[in-house]
Amino acid sequence: RVREIHLHAVELPAREIGFRPTNRQTPADIPSIQPMEHYMSAEWFIQAHEHGDDQPIRTDLVNACLNGWSCVFNDGSVDVVFDRADSSTFFYGHTEPHISELMISRPCRHSGLTGILFDIMKLGNFVFYAPDAEFPIVLDKAVIKELPPDMLAALGTPEIASTREEFERLISSL
């Protein structure tokens, strides 16, 4: 009888990886598994730009934004665990000594994730976007002039979130 499934040291609900109960087993028979909520988008992106080009941000400063959370550092990625039911994976465009982009795979609905992203975005001229989002997000209007023109043409005019609360509100609208 399946009780838990472990992947990258994160407990995942069996239904997230294709668990099919038999006629004698249902997810309710597995009390240790909690549902995991994720946003509709499978991936989120943040990129830092300066004068239309990549803006290098020190990797150690980005990693410092993860302090306080359980993290498993892999080659080019970090699994961040917020609680028993919430985790996300950060993929770095480059790992040392600078990065300019991050992809967040399977973003969870934990407020710790949006807090980390807000803190990282304060490190440079970052823009947040998701494939199914209606608009990108920046933390300051001045960032817009640093973005590549073709990015703005493709993503549209960014919304500005100058506070953590505004950022969380805009993210929750995805």
Side-chain angles (χ1 to χ4, degrees):
R1 188 166 127 131
V2 175
R3 290 217 176 262
E4 296 175 342
I5 297 171
H6 297 274
L7 179 65
H8 298 291
V10 177
E11 291 183 63
L12 298 175
R15 70 173 176 236
E16 286 293 311
I17 61 167
F19 174 72
R20 300 283 188 262
T22 66
N23 61 359
R24 292 181 296 152
Q25 290 177 305
T26 67
D29 293 329
I30 309 170
S32 63
I33 296 176
Q34 301 172 4
M36 184 182 298
E37 292 187 35
H38 291 278
Y39 286 90
M40 290 299 291
S41 174
E43 296 161 342
W44 288 350
F45 301 88
I46 61 172
Q47 292 181 347
H49 294 279
E50 190 170 46
H51 309 297
D53 289 322
D54 292 347
Q55 178 188 22
I57 306 295
R58 287 183 22 209
T59 305
D60 63 321
L61 296 177
V62 172
N63 289 341
C65 295
L66 305 175
N67 286 343
W69 301 107
S70 176
C71 297
V72 177
F73 289 83
N74 304 301
D75 186 29
S77 69
V78 181
D79 295 319
V80 183
V81 180
F82 300 101
D83 59 31
R84 183 174 165 83
D86 294 304
S87 66
S88 294
T89 301
F90 288 54
F91 290 93
Y92 292 10
H94 304 284
T95 56
E96 294 295 336
H98 299 93
I99 63 169
S100 62
E101 61 186 37
L102 288 168
M103 180 187 79
I104 299 85
S105 179
R106 296 182 49 135
C108 66
R109 291 193 177 268
H110 195 281
S111 64
L113 175 59
T114 53
I116 288 171
L117 294 177
F118 184 82
D119 290 343
I120 293 172
M121 288 179 67
K122 291 189 306 185
L123 298 174
N125 300 318
F126 277 98
V127 60
F128 167 93
Y129 63 95
D132 55 353
E134 294 180 27
F135 49 81
I137 302 170
V138 296
L139 301 185
D140 189 306
K141 186 175 183 173
V143 172
I144 296 171
K145 69 178 174 43
E146 302 292 341
L147 302 177
D150 59 336
M151 175 183 265
L152 289 171
L155 299 177
T157 304
E159 292 285 327
I160 299 167
S162 56
T163 67
R164 185 181 304 262
E165 292 76 23
E166 289 173 348
F167 186 71
E168 288 180 2
R169 181 183 57 78
L170 289 171
I171 292 286
S172 68
S173 70
L174 297 177

Short mmCIF file of all heavy atoms in Angstrom, two decimals, residues 44-110:
data_model
loop_
_atom_site.label_atom_id
_atom_site.label_comp_id
_atom_site.label_asym_id
_atom_site.label_seq_id
_atom_site.Cartn_x
_atom_site.Cartn_y
_atom_site.Cartn_z
N TRP A 44 7.29 30.10 -13.88
CA TRP A 44 7.39 31.56 -13.78
C TRP A 44 8.83 31.93 -14.12
O TRP A 44 9.74 31.12 -13.95
CB TRP A 44 7.09 32.04 -12.38
CG TRP A 44 5.66 31.96 -11.95
CD1 TRP A 44 4.56 31.69 -12.71
CD2 TRP A 44 5.18 32.18 -10.62
NE1 TRP A 44 3.43 31.72 -11.93
CE2 TRP A 44 3.78 32.02 -10.65
CE3 TRP A 44 5.79 32.49 -9.41
CZ2 TRP A 44 2.99 32.17 -9.52
CZ3 TRP A 44 5.00 32.63 -8.28
CH2 TRP A 44 3.62 32.47 -8.34
N PHE A 45 9.02 33.17 -14.55
CA PHE A 45 10.35 33.64 -14.90
C PHE A 45 10.60 35.01 -14.30
O PHE A 45 9.68 35.83 -14.24
CB PHE A 45 10.49 33.75 -16.43
CG PHE A 45 10.26 32.45 -17.15
CD1 PHE A 45 8.99 32.08 -17.55
CD2 PHE A 45 11.32 31.59 -17.42
CE1 PHE A 45 8.77 30.88 -18.19
CE2 PHE A 45 11.10 30.39 -18.07
CZ PHE A 45 9.83 30.03 -18.46
N ILE A 46 11.84 35.25 -13.87
CA ILE A 46 12.28 36.60 -13.57
C ILE A 46 13.63 36.79 -14.26
O ILE A 46 14.46 35.87 -14.30
CB ILE A 46 12.36 36.92 -12.06
CG1 ILE A 46 13.32 36.01 -11.32
CG2 ILE A 46 10.97 36.85 -11.42
CD1 ILE A 46 13.54 36.43 -9.86
N GLN A 47 13.80 37.96 -14.84
CA GLN A 47 15.03 38.28 -15.55
C GLN A 47 15.46 39.70 -15.18
O GLN A 47 14.62 40.59 -15.06
CB GLN A 47 14.83 38.21 -17.07
CG GLN A 47 14.58 36.83 -17.59
CD GLN A 47 14.43 36.83 -19.11
OE1 GLN A 47 14.26 37.86 -19.75
NE2 GLN A 47 14.47 35.64 -19.69
N ALA A 48 16.77 39.89 -15.04
CA ALA A 48 17.32 41.22 -14.76
C ALA A 48 17.95 41.78 -16.03
O ALA A 48 18.68 41.07 -16.73
CB ALA A 48 18.36 41.12 -13.65
N HIS A 49 17.67 43.05 -16.30
CA HIS A 49 18.19 43.70 -17.51
C HIS A 49 18.75 45.07 -17.17
O HIS A 49 18.29 45.74 -16.24
CB HIS A 49 17.09 43.84 -18.56
CG HIS A 49 16.60 42.54 -19.08
ND1 HIS A 49 17.27 41.85 -20.07
CD2 HIS A 49 15.53 41.79 -18.75
CE1 HIS A 49 16.61 40.72 -20.32
NE2 HIS A 49 15.56 40.66 -19.53
N GLU A 50 19.72 45.48 -17.98
CA GLU A 50 20.31 46.81 -17.87
C GLU A 50 20.63 47.28 -19.28
O GLU A 50 21.35 46.59 -20.01
CB GLU A 50 21.57 46.73 -17.02
CG GLU A 50 22.14 48.06 -16.62
CD GLU A 50 23.24 47.89 -15.59
OE1 GLU A 50 24.13 47.01 -15.78
OE2 GLU A 50 23.22 48.62 -14.61
N HIS A 51 20.03 48.40 -19.68
CA HIS A 51 20.22 48.94 -21.04
C HIS A 51 19.86 47.90 -22.10
O HIS A 51 20.52 47.81 -23.13
CB HIS A 51 21.66 49.44 -21.25
CG HIS A 51 22.14 50.37 -20.19
ND1 HIS A 51 21.58 51.60 -19.94
CD2 HIS A 51 23.14 50.23 -19.29
CE1 HIS A 51 22.20 52.19 -18.94
NE2 HIS A 51 23.16 51.38 -18.52
N GLY A 52 18.85 47.10 -21.86
CA GLY A 52 18.38 46.11 -22.82
C GLY A 52 19.16 44.80 -22.83
O GLY A 52 18.79 43.87 -23.53
N ASP A 53 20.24 44.72 -22.08
CA ASP A 53 21.04 43.49 -22.00
C ASP A 53 20.85 42.83 -20.63
O ASP A 53 20.26 43.42 -19.73
CB ASP A 53 22.53 43.80 -22.20
CG ASP A 53 22.85 44.20 -23.63
OD1 ASP A 53 22.25 43.61 -24.55
OD2 ASP A 53 23.69 45.09 -23.82
N ASP A 54 21.40 41.63 -20.48
CA ASP A 54 21.35 40.95 -19.19
C ASP A 54 22.08 41.78 -18.14
O ASP A 54 23.14 42.35 -18.41
CB ASP A 54 22.01 39.57 -19.27
CG ASP A 54 21.23 38.60 -20.12
OD1 ASP A 54 20.07 38.88 -20.45
OD2 ASP A 54 21.80 37.54 -20.45
N GLN A 55 21.51 41.83 -16.95
CA GLN A 55 22.16 42.50 -15.82
C GLN A 55 22.67 41.41 -14.87
O GLN A 55 21.87 40.65 -14.32
CB GLN A 55 21.19 43.41 -15.07
CG GLN A 55 21.80 44.09 -13.87
CD GLN A 55 20.78 44.83 -13.03
OE1 GLN A 55 19.59 44.55 -13.06
NE2 GLN A 55 21.27 45.78 -12.24
N PRO A 56 23.98 41.31 -14.66
CA PRO A 56 24.50 40.28 -13.76
C PRO A 56 24.21 40.62 -12.30
O PRO A 56 24.45 41.72 -11.85
CB PRO A 56 26.00 40.28 -14.05
CG PRO A 56 26.29 41.63 -14.62
CD PRO A 56 25.05 42.10 -15.28
N ILE A 57 23.66 39.64 -11.58
CA ILE A 57 23.36 39.77 -10.16
C ILE A 57 24.17 38.68 -9.44
O ILE A 57 24.15 37.52 -9.87
CB ILE A 57 21.85 39.57 -9.87
CG1 ILE A 57 21.00 40.52 -10.72
CG2 ILE A 57 21.55 39.71 -8.39
CD1 ILE A 57 21.19 42.00 -10.44
N ARG A 58 24.84 39.05 -8.38
CA ARG A 58 25.67 38.07 -7.67
C ARG A 58 24.81 36.92 -7.16
O ARG A 58 23.80 37.11 -6.48
CB ARG A 58 26.39 38.74 -6.50
CG ARG A 58 27.51 39.63 -6.95
CD ARG A 58 28.30 40.26 -5.83
NE ARG A 58 28.23 39.60 -4.55
CZ ARG A 58 28.35 40.24 -3.39
NH1 ARG A 58 28.54 41.54 -3.35
NH2 ARG A 58 28.29 39.57 -2.26
N THR A 59 25.24 35.70 -7.46
CA THR A 59 24.53 34.49 -7.06
C THR A 59 24.40 34.38 -5.54
O THR A 59 23.36 33.97 -5.04
CB THR A 59 25.22 33.24 -7.63
OG1 THR A 59 25.35 33.40 -9.04
CG2 THR A 59 24.43 31.98 -7.35
N ASP A 60 25.44 34.77 -4.81
CA ASP A 60 25.38 34.67 -3.35
C ASP A 60 24.30 35.59 -2.77
O ASP A 60 23.67 35.25 -1.76
CB ASP A 60 26.74 34.92 -2.70
CG ASP A 60 27.28 36.32 -2.96
OD1 ASP A 60 27.11 36.84 -4.09
OD2 ASP A 60 27.88 36.90 -2.03
N LEU A 61 24.03 36.73 -3.42
CA LEU A 61 22.96 37.61 -2.95
C LEU A 61 21.59 36.99 -3.21
O LEU A 61 20.68 37.11 -2.39
CB LEU A 61 23.06 38.98 -3.61
CG LEU A 61 24.31 39.80 -3.28
CD1 LEU A 61 24.31 41.11 -4.07
CD2 LEU A 61 24.41 40.06 -1.78
N VAL A 62 21.46 36.34 -4.37
CA VAL A 62 20.21 35.64 -4.68
C VAL A 62 19.99 34.51 -3.68
O VAL A 62 18.90 34.35 -3.11
CB VAL A 62 20.21 35.11 -6.13
CG1 VAL A 62 19.01 34.21 -6.39
CG2 VAL A 62 20.25 36.26 -7.12
N ASN A 63 21.04 33.72 -3.42
CA ASN A 63 20.92 32.62 -2.45
C ASN A 63 20.58 33.11 -1.05
O ASN A 63 19.87 32.43 -0.31
CB ASN A 63 22.20 31.79 -2.43
CG ASN A 63 22.38 30.97 -3.69
OD1 ASN A 63 21.43 30.74 -4.43
ND2 ASN A 63 23.60 30.55 -3.94
N ALA A 64 21.05 34.30 -0.68
CA ALA A 64 20.74 34.86 0.64
C ALA A 64 19.25 35.11 0.79
O ALA A 64 18.72 35.06 1.90
CB ALA A 64 21.54 36.13 0.87
N CYS A 65 18.55 35.36 -0.31
CA CYS A 65 17.09 35.56 -0.25
C CYS A 65 16.34 34.28 0.11
O CYS A 65 15.17 34.33 0.48
CB CYS A 65 16.58 36.10 -1.59
SG CYS A 65 17.20 37.75 -2.00
N LEU A 66 17.03 33.14 0.03
CA LEU A 66 16.41 31.85 0.36
C LEU A 66 16.58 31.50 1.83
O LEU A 66 16.03 30.49 2.29
CB LEU A 66 17.03 30.75 -0.50
CG LEU A 66 16.98 30.94 -2.02
CD1 LEU A 66 17.73 29.82 -2.71
CD2 LEU A 66 15.56 31.04 -2.51
N ASN A 67 17.36 32.30 2.57
CA ASN A 67 17.59 32.02 3.99
C ASN A 67 16.27 31.91 4.74
O ASN A 67 15.34 32.68 4.49
CB ASN A 67 18.46 33.11 4.63
CG ASN A 67 19.90 33.00 4.21
OD1 ASN A 67 20.34 31.96 3.71
ND2 ASN A 67 20.65 34.07 4.41
N GLY A 68 16.21 30.96 5.64
CA GLY A 68 15.01 30.74 6.43
C GLY A 68 14.12 29.63 5.89
O GLY A 68 13.17 29.24 6.55
N TRP A 69 14.43 29.15 4.70
CA TRP A 69 13.65 28.06 4.09
C TRP A 69 14.55 26.85 3.91
O TRP A 69 15.75 26.97 3.76
CB TRP A 69 13.07 28.50 2.75
CG TRP A 69 12.19 29.69 2.88
CD1 TRP A 69 12.48 30.97 2.48
CD2 TRP A 69 10.91 29.76 3.50
NE1 TRP A 69 11.46 31.81 2.80
CE2 TRP A 69 10.47 31.10 3.43
CE3 TRP A 69 10.08 28.82 4.11
CZ2 TRP A 69 9.24 31.51 3.94
CZ3 TRP A 69 8.86 29.24 4.62
CH2 TRP A 69 8.45 30.56 4.53
N SER A 70 13.95 25.69 3.89
CA SER A 70 14.69 24.45 3.66
C SER A 70 15.02 24.37 2.17
O SER A 70 14.12 24.42 1.33
CB SER A 70 13.83 23.26 4.09
OG SER A 70 14.49 22.07 3.80
N CYS A 71 16.31 24.28 1.85
CA CYS A 71 16.74 24.28 0.45
C CYS A 71 17.66 23.10 0.17
O CYS A 71 18.48 22.75 1.01
CB CYS A 71 17.51 25.57 0.13
SG CYS A 71 16.52 27.06 0.29
N VAL A 72 17.50 22.53 -1.01
CA VAL A 72 18.41 21.50 -1.50
C VAL A 72 19.04 22.07 -2.76
O VAL A 72 18.36 22.27 -3.77
CB VAL A 72 17.68 20.18 -1.80
CG1 VAL A 72 18.65 19.15 -2.38
CG2 VAL A 72 16.98 19.64 -0.57
N PHE A 73 20.36 22.37 -2.68
CA PHE A 73 21.07 22.94 -3.81
C PHE A 73 21.57 21.82 -4.71
O PHE A 73 22.23 20.90 -4.27
CB PHE A 73 22.24 23.80 -3.32
CG PHE A 73 21.79 25.08 -2.68
CD1 PHE A 73 21.40 25.10 -1.35
CD2 PHE A 73 21.72 26.25 -3.39
CE1 PHE A 73 20.96 26.28 -0.76
CE2 PHE A 73 21.29 27.42 -2.82
CZ PHE A 73 20.90 27.44 -1.49
N ASN A 74 21.21 21.92 -5.98
CA ASN A 74 21.64 20.97 -7.00
C ASN A 74 22.50 21.74 -8.01
O ASN A 74 22.67 22.95 -7.89
CB ASN A 74 20.42 20.36 -7.70
CG ASN A 74 19.48 19.70 -6.73
OD1 ASN A 74 19.86 18.79 -6.01
ND2 ASN A 74 18.25 20.19 -6.66
N ASP A 75 22.99 21.07 -9.01
CA ASP A 75 23.78 21.73 -10.04
C ASP A 75 22.85 22.57 -10.91
O ASP A 75 22.12 22.04 -11.73
CB ASP A 75 24.52 20.70 -10.88
CG ASP A 75 25.47 21.33 -11.87
OD1 ASP A 75 25.97 22.44 -11.59
OD2 ASP A 75 25.71 20.72 -12.93
N GLY A 76 22.84 23.89 -10.72
CA GLY A 76 22.01 24.79 -11.52
C GLY A 76 20.59 24.97 -11.04
O GLY A 76 19.81 25.67 -11.69
N SER A 77 20.22 24.37 -9.92
CA SER A 77 18.86 24.54 -9.41
C SER A 77 18.85 24.43 -7.89
O SER A 77 19.80 23.95 -7.28
CB SER A 77 17.92 23.49 -10.01
OG SER A 77 18.21 22.20 -9.52
N VAL A 78 17.75 24.90 -7.33
CA VAL A 78 17.53 24.81 -5.88
C VAL A 78 16.09 24.40 -5.65
O VAL A 78 15.17 25.03 -6.18
CB VAL A 78 17.77 26.18 -5.19
CG1 VAL A 78 17.57 26.06 -3.68
CG2 VAL A 78 19.14 26.74 -5.50
N ASP A 79 15.89 23.34 -4.88
CA ASP A 79 14.55 22.94 -4.44
C ASP A 79 14.30 23.67 -3.13
O ASP A 79 15.05 23.50 -2.17
CB ASP A 79 14.46 21.43 -4.22
CG ASP A 79 14.63 20.65 -5.51
OD1 ASP A 79 14.07 21.09 -6.53
OD2 ASP A 79 15.32 19.62 -5.49
N VAL A 80 13.25 24.48 -3.08
CA VAL A 80 12.92 25.25 -1.89
C VAL A 80 11.63 24.66 -1.30
O VAL A 80 10.61 24.59 -1.98
CB VAL A 80 12.71 26.75 -2.20
CG1 VAL A 80 12.44 27.53 -0.93
CG2 VAL A 80 13.93 27.31 -2.94
N VAL A 81 11.71 24.23 -0.03
CA VAL A 81 10.57 23.62 0.64
C VAL A 81 10.05 24.60 1.67
O VAL A 81 10.78 25.04 2.56
CB VAL A 81 10.99 22.30 1.32
CG1 VAL A 81 9.80 21.66 2.02
CG2 VAL A 81 11.59 21.34 0.30
N PHE A 82 8.78 24.96 1.55
CA PHE A 82 8.16 25.93 2.45
C PHE A 82 7.47 25.26 3.63
O PHE A 82 7.50 25.74 4.74
CB PHE A 82 7.18 26.82 1.68
CG PHE A 82 7.85 27.58 0.58
CD1 PHE A 82 7.78 27.16 -0.73
CD2 PHE A 82 8.60 28.70 0.88
CE1 PHE A 82 8.42 27.86 -1.74
CE2 PHE A 82 9.26 29.41 -0.12
CZ PHE A 82 9.16 28.99 -1.43
N ASP A 83 6.80 24.17 3.34
CA ASP A 83 6.17 23.36 4.39
C ASP A 83 5.90 22.00 3.79
O ASP A 83 6.32 21.70 2.67
CB ASP A 83 4.90 24.03 4.95
CG ASP A 83 3.83 24.29 3.90
OD1 ASP A 83 3.73 23.53 2.92
OD2 ASP A 83 3.08 25.27 4.07
N ARG A 84 5.21 21.17 4.53
CA ARG A 84 4.97 19.79 4.10
C ARG A 84 4.29 19.68 2.74
O ARG A 84 4.54 18.74 1.99
CB ARG A 84 4.15 19.08 5.18
CG ARG A 84 3.90 17.64 4.92
CD ARG A 84 3.20 17.02 6.12
NE ARG A 84 2.64 15.75 5.79
CZ ARG A 84 3.32 14.63 5.80
NH1 ARG A 84 4.59 14.63 6.11
NH2 ARG A 84 2.73 13.50 5.49
N ALA A 85 3.46 20.65 2.40
CA ALA A 85 2.70 20.56 1.15
C ALA A 85 3.17 21.52 0.06
O ALA A 85 2.68 21.46 -1.04
CB ALA A 85 1.22 20.82 1.44
N ASP A 86 4.10 22.42 0.36
CA ASP A 86 4.47 23.45 -0.60
C ASP A 86 5.97 23.49 -0.88
O ASP A 86 6.77 23.63 0.05
CB ASP A 86 4.05 24.84 -0.08
CG ASP A 86 2.54 24.97 0.02
OD1 ASP A 86 1.86 24.77 -0.99
OD2 ASP A 86 2.05 25.28 1.12
N SER A 87 6.32 23.39 -2.14
CA SER A 87 7.71 23.50 -2.57
C SER A 87 7.73 23.98 -4.02
O SER A 87 6.74 23.86 -4.74
CB SER A 87 8.44 22.17 -2.44
OG SER A 87 7.89 21.24 -3.35
N SER A 88 8.86 24.52 -4.43
CA SER A 88 9.07 24.94 -5.81
C SER A 88 10.56 24.77 -6.12
O SER A 88 11.39 24.77 -5.22
CB SER A 88 8.67 26.41 -6.02
OG SER A 88 7.28 26.58 -5.84
N THR A 89 10.87 24.66 -7.42
CA THR A 89 12.26 24.53 -7.84
C THR A 89 12.67 25.76 -8.62
O THR A 89 11.96 26.20 -9.52
CB THR A 89 12.45 23.27 -8.71
OG1 THR A 89 12.05 22.13 -7.95
CG2 THR A 89 13.90 23.12 -9.14
N PHE A 90 13.82 26.33 -8.23
CA PHE A 90 14.39 27.49 -8.91
C PHE A 90 15.51 26.99 -9.81
O PHE A 90 16.44 26.34 -9.34
CB PHE A 90 14.99 28.46 -7.89
CG PHE A 90 13.99 29.22 -7.05
CD1 PHE A 90 13.01 28.58 -6.34
CD2 PHE A 90 14.06 30.60 -6.98
CE1 PHE A 90 12.11 29.27 -5.56
CE2 PHE A 90 13.17 31.32 -6.21
CZ PHE A 90 12.18 30.65 -5.50
N PHE A 91 15.44 27.31 -11.09
CA PHE A 91 16.51 26.98 -12.03
C PHE A 91 17.25 28.27 -12.37
O PHE A 91 16.63 29.24 -12.79
CB PHE A 91 15.96 26.33 -13.30
CG PHE A 91 15.43 24.96 -13.08
CD1 PHE A 91 14.08 24.75 -12.81
CD2 PHE A 91 16.27 23.86 -13.14
CE1 PHE A 91 13.59 23.48 -12.59
CE2 PHE A 91 15.78 22.58 -12.92
CZ PHE A 91 14.44 22.39 -12.64
N TYR A 92 18.56 28.26 -12.17
CA TYR A 92 19.40 29.43 -12.44
C TYR A 92 19.88 29.38 -13.87
O TYR A 92 20.28 28.34 -14.37
CB TYR A 92 20.61 29.44 -11.51
CG TYR A 92 20.32 29.66 -10.05
CD1 TYR A 92 19.03 29.64 -9.54
CD2 TYR A 92 21.35 29.90 -9.16
CE1 TYR A 92 18.78 29.85 -8.19
CE2 TYR A 92 21.11 30.11 -7.81
CZ TYR A 92 19.81 30.09 -7.34
OH TYR A 92 19.57 30.31 -6.02
N GLY A 93 19.88 30.55 -14.55
CA GLY A 93 20.42 30.63 -15.90
C GLY A 93 21.91 30.34 -15.89
O GLY A 93 22.43 29.64 -16.75
N HIS A 94 22.63 30.84 -14.92
CA HIS A 94 24.05 30.59 -14.69
C HIS A 94 24.19 30.50 -13.18
O HIS A 94 23.39 31.07 -12.45
CB HIS A 94 24.93 31.72 -15.23
CG HIS A 94 24.70 32.00 -16.68
ND1 HIS A 94 25.19 31.19 -17.68
CD2 HIS A 94 24.02 33.00 -17.30
CE1 HIS A 94 24.82 31.69 -18.84
NE2 HIS A 94 24.12 32.78 -18.65
N THR A 95 25.19 29.83 -12.70
CA THR A 95 25.29 29.66 -11.25
C THR A 95 26.37 30.48 -10.58
O THR A 95 26.21 30.89 -9.46
CB THR A 95 25.48 28.18 -10.89
OG1 THR A 95 26.63 27.69 -11.56
CG2 THR A 95 24.27 27.37 -11.25
N GLU A 96 27.48 30.71 -11.20
CA GLU A 96 28.58 31.43 -10.52
C GLU A 96 29.29 32.34 -11.48
O GLU A 96 29.47 31.97 -12.63
CB GLU A 96 29.58 30.43 -9.92
CG GLU A 96 29.03 29.59 -8.80
CD GLU A 96 28.65 30.38 -7.54
OE1 GLU A 96 29.19 31.48 -7.32
OE2 GLU A 96 27.81 29.90 -6.80
N PRO A 97 29.75 33.45 -11.07
CA PRO A 97 29.44 34.12 -9.81
C PRO A 97 28.19 34.99 -9.90
O PRO A 97 27.74 35.56 -8.92
CB PRO A 97 30.68 34.98 -9.56
CG PRO A 97 31.13 35.37 -10.92
CD PRO A 97 30.81 34.17 -11.80
N HIS A 98 27.61 35.08 -11.14
CA HIS A 98 26.44 35.93 -11.35
C HIS A 98 25.33 35.17 -12.08
O HIS A 98 25.60 34.23 -12.81
CB HIS A 98 26.81 37.16 -12.20
CG HIS A 98 27.84 38.02 -11.56
ND1 HIS A 98 29.18 37.86 -11.82
CD2 HIS A 98 27.72 39.03 -10.67
CE1 HIS A 98 29.86 38.75 -11.12
NE2 HIS A 98 29.00 39.47 -10.41
N ILE A 99 24.11 35.65 -11.88
CA ILE A 99 22.98 35.17 -12.67
C ILE A 99 22.21 36.39 -13.16
O ILE A 99 22.36 37.48 -12.62
CB ILE A 99 22.04 34.23 -11.86
CG1 ILE A 99 21.40 34.97 -10.69
CG2 ILE A 99 22.76 33.01 -11.38
CD1 ILE A 99 20.29 34.21 -10.04
N SER A 100 21.38 36.21 -14.16
CA SER A 100 20.52 37.29 -14.61
C SER A 100 19.09 36.81 -14.83
O SER A 100 18.22 37.60 -15.15
CB SER A 100 21.07 37.93 -15.89
OG SER A 100 21.11 36.98 -16.92
N GLU A 101 18.87 35.51 -14.65
CA GLU A 101 17.53 34.98 -14.85
C GLU A 101 17.30 33.76 -13.97
O GLU A 101 18.22 33.03 -13.62
CB GLU A 101 17.31 34.60 -16.30
CG GLU A 101 18.25 33.54 -16.81
CD GLU A 101 18.12 33.29 -18.30
OE1 GLU A 101 17.89 34.26 -19.04
OE2 GLU A 101 18.24 32.12 -18.70
N LEU A 102 16.04 33.59 -13.62
CA LEU A 102 15.59 32.42 -12.85
C LEU A 102 14.30 31.91 -13.47
O LEU A 102 13.45 32.70 -13.89
CB LEU A 102 15.28 32.79 -11.40
CG LEU A 102 16.43 33.11 -10.47
CD1 LEU A 102 15.89 33.74 -9.20
CD2 LEU A 102 17.19 31.86 -10.15
N MET A 103 14.15 30.60 -13.50
CA MET A 103 12.88 29.98 -13.84
C MET A 103 12.39 29.27 -12.59
O MET A 103 13.15 28.53 -11.96
CB MET A 103 13.02 28.98 -14.97
CG MET A 103 11.68 28.33 -15.35
SD MET A 103 11.84 27.00 -16.55
CE MET A 103 12.38 25.68 -15.50
N ILE A 104 11.15 29.50 -12.22
CA ILE A 104 10.56 28.84 -11.07
C ILE A 104 9.60 27.78 -11.60
O ILE A 104 8.59 28.10 -12.24
CB ILE A 104 9.83 29.84 -10.14
CG1 ILE A 104 10.81 30.89 -9.61
CG2 ILE A 104 9.19 29.10 -8.97
CD1 ILE A 104 11.04 32.05 -10.51
N SER A 105 9.94 26.53 -11.36
CA SER A 105 9.14 25.42 -11.85
C SER A 105 8.11 25.03 -10.80
O SER A 105 8.43 24.92 -9.62
CB SER A 105 10.05 24.24 -12.16
OG SER A 105 9.30 23.14 -12.61
N ARG A 106 6.89 24.83 -11.23
CA ARG A 106 5.76 24.44 -10.38
C ARG A 106 5.62 25.38 -9.18
O ARG A 106 5.75 24.97 -8.03
CB ARG A 106 5.91 23.00 -9.94
CG ARG A 106 5.85 22.04 -11.11
CD ARG A 106 5.96 20.63 -10.63
NE ARG A 106 5.02 20.46 -9.54
CZ ARG A 106 4.21 19.44 -9.39
NH1 ARG A 106 4.24 18.48 -10.24
NH2 ARG A 106 3.39 19.36 -8.39
N PRO A 107 5.39 26.66 -9.45
CA PRO A 107 5.25 27.61 -8.34
C PRO A 107 4.08 27.24 -7.43
O PRO A 107 2.97 27.01 -7.91
CB PRO A 107 5.03 28.95 -9.04
CG PRO A 107 4.57 28.61 -10.41
CD PRO A 107 5.16 27.28 -10.75
N CYS A 108 4.35 27.17 -6.14
CA CYS A 108 3.31 26.83 -5.17
C CYS A 108 2.62 28.11 -4.70
O CYS A 108 3.04 29.22 -5.01
CB CYS A 108 3.90 26.07 -3.99
SG CYS A 108 5.06 27.04 -2.99
N ARG A 109 1.57 27.97 -3.95
CA ARG A 109 0.80 29.12 -3.48
C ARG A 109 1.22 29.61 -2.10
O ARG A 109 0.53 30.39 -1.48
CB ARG A 109 -0.69 28.78 -3.48
CG ARG A 109 -1.25 28.61 -4.87
CD ARG A 109 -2.77 28.58 -4.84
NE ARG A 109 -3.31 28.49 -6.18
CZ ARG A 109 -3.64 29.55 -6.91
NH1 ARG A 109 -3.47 30.75 -6.46
NH2 ARG A 109 -4.13 29.38 -8.12
N HIS A 110 2.36 29.20 -1.63
CA HIS A 110 2.85 29.63 -0.31
C HIS A 110 3.35 31.07 -0.41
O HIS A 110 4.05 31.43 -1.36
CB HIS A 110 3.97 28.70 0.16
CG HIS A 110 4.28 28.83 1.60
ND1 HIS A 110 5.05 29.86 2.10
CD2 HIS A 110 3.91 28.08 2.66
CE1 HIS A 110 5.14 29.73 3.40
NE2 HIS A 110 4.46 28.66 3.77
#
